[in-house]
Amino acid sequence: MTSEELWRAALHDFNNLLAGLQGVLDLSDPRLPLDARNRMRLESTLGDGKTLIAMARALALGRHPDAGLAAWSEWRAGLEERLEPMASLFRCPVELVDAGAEATYWPAPLLQDWAAAFTRQILPWAVPGPLRLEASVSPEAWILTWVGDAPLPVALRPEPPPDAPKNLPSLWLRATQSRLGLSIQETPGGIIVCMPRPTAS
């Protein structure tokens, strides 16, 4: 990723963000308060803007949140909080399923951020859903499985084509995938993402 690619991605995405805000205003009666649906769209769009700023900052400055571990219940609640606005926006519920995840602590917050950003990329293919996300653990890895037939985003393929999207989420997902050491596998049952667990010395 070059600085020019980052600038182009940022300008493209923030232009789309402003278009989203304009869309909310165009669909609202200026004489009345925002209805519940448009308020939700506005809040979701503003949330997307904050996420894009965080992604751009991480890509440009290499600033990432401090790494730590969280109990499964805490980790799950944090990811569900991130998923709720997009699930409401797309009207596609996301079911986060414990498939053996409770057996250990989970990396936070960067893996939660990555899982939420990745879910946003494939959610349109899951509508009307629900989209099932299973969390499990092995001695070697933390494992997340997005169950279904949603395709792997082109930008995350091992060798993305020249015309692969170069928006902020795609650039951030790819860079953070490398930072976390994530492996991604497409299977007939879904997309499996593994993050290596540290080995006991």
Side-chain angles (χ1 to χ4, degrees), residues 48-159:
D48 284 347
K50 293 177 183 178
T51 299
L52 290 173
I53 290 171
M55 288 176 172
R57 181 182 295 119
L59 290 168
L61 305 175
R63 293 182 179 173
H64 301 276
D66 293 336
L69 293 173
W72 163 250
S73 58
E74 180 184 343
W75 195 92
R76 177 178 185 167
L79 179 53
E80 287 177 336
E81 183 179 352
R82 291 163 170 81
L83 295 174
E84 184 178 358
M86 66 182 76
S88 297
L89 183 64
F90 285 92
R91 298 184 180 182
C92 180
V94 181
E95 298 178 350
L96 183 52
V97 179
D98 178 358
E102 194 174 3
T104 189
Y105 286 77
W106 281 70
L110 202 52
L111 182 59
Q112 293 163 303
D113 293 339
W114 194 93
F118 182 82
T119 301
R120 178 66 183 263
Q121 295 293 304
I122 67 172
L123 201 55
W125 278 270
V127 173
L131 173 61
R132 182 180 174 93
L133 172 53
E134 297 179 351
S136 59
V137 66
S138 74
E140 296 80 23
W142 293 282
I143 304 164
L144 295 171
T145 303
W146 284 263
V147 179
D149 56 3
L152 180 67
V154 175
L156 292 179
R157 298 191 178 278
E159 295 184 10

Side-chain angles (χ1 to χ4, degrees), residues 1-12 56 59-61 166-168 171:
M1 178 188 63
T2 66
S3 58
E4 181 180 352
E5 287 176 329
L6 179 55
W7 270 110
R8 287 180 180 273
L11 291 172
H12 173 271
L59 290 168
L61 305 175
K166 291 184 173 63
N167 52 41
L168 281 173
L171 295 174

Side-chain angles (χ1 to χ4, degrees), residues 32-47:
L32 300 173
L34 290 176
D35 60 26
R37 173 68 176 164
N38 281 324
R39 179 173 294 280
M40 183 273 295
R41 290 182 65 224
L42 178 61
E43 290 174 353
S44 181
T45 302
L46 292 173

